[in-house]
Amino acid sequence: MRILVISDIHANHSALEAVLEAAGRFDAVWCLGDLVGYGPDPNQVINTVRSLPNLICLLGNHDAAVINRIDLTAFNYDARLSLKWMIDTITPDNLNYLTTLPETAIIEDVLLAHGSPRNPIWEYILDIYTAQNIFNQFTEKIFLVGHSHIPLAFFHNPIDKNIFVRPLIAGDNVLIYHRHIFNPGSVGQPRDFDPRAAYAIYYPESGRWESYRVEYDYKNVQERILKAGLPEHHAIRLSQGV
Ligand code: ZN
């Protein structure tokens, strides 16, 4: 079984299309939240994600904001402008779809959330100290998380209890022996200085995680962000991967 793991598409349909084409055949899709915010294509992204086979899709902080579960004052100025545009642009049917998304999901020995088990919408896991704490908050073997837009793997060594972190680059193939936290990175707004769309394939039977990147036409997305009147910063960062 091949499970496509994606996160933080952020209304970038060009990046999503490139990922779906590059990923080849897959049996299920796990999407870790933030379908909207930043990009110019919120409805196209929601429509495409809704049509994916055997989909589990979680709520992210930007999704929660457009359905009024988080106050917009929690976001910075540019993100607020973008979220207001999303609220005006997303169709009632798609807004309603966002209200149905769960904050966490458990599939066999895998826990899924956008942020963390204790704070599924907001908390970032970027360092081993936070990760150490997080490993005590779930009992499953694997925790899949998005939110930071940075592909990462944390490993918990059961013998010496040490935590290790490893940035994941394209082509990385991780054999899952111990407990892990994986972040597939962001489809629509990468922040690890690599502008290519990030995704991962998880193989539950053989216990493997593969990280991938795919190029897409970010210049076209930048033009459409500016044409829509969305913040310029959200266009510029797509070419820098920050
Ligand atoms: Zn995000």
Side-chain angles (χ1 to χ4, degrees), residues 8 10 34 38 146-151 183 185-186 189-192:
D8 296 276
H10 281 297
D34 274 0
Y38 301 129
H147 196 33
S148 71
H149 298 206
I150 296 176
N183 188 324
S186 168
Q189 197 195 83
R191 292 181 190 161
D192 59 345

Side-chain angles (χ1 to χ4, degrees), residues 101-115:
L101 302 180
E103 291 188 4
T104 60
I106 296 172
I107 304 105
E108 297 182 358
D109 59 353
V110 185
L111 171 66
L112 280 61
H114 185 65

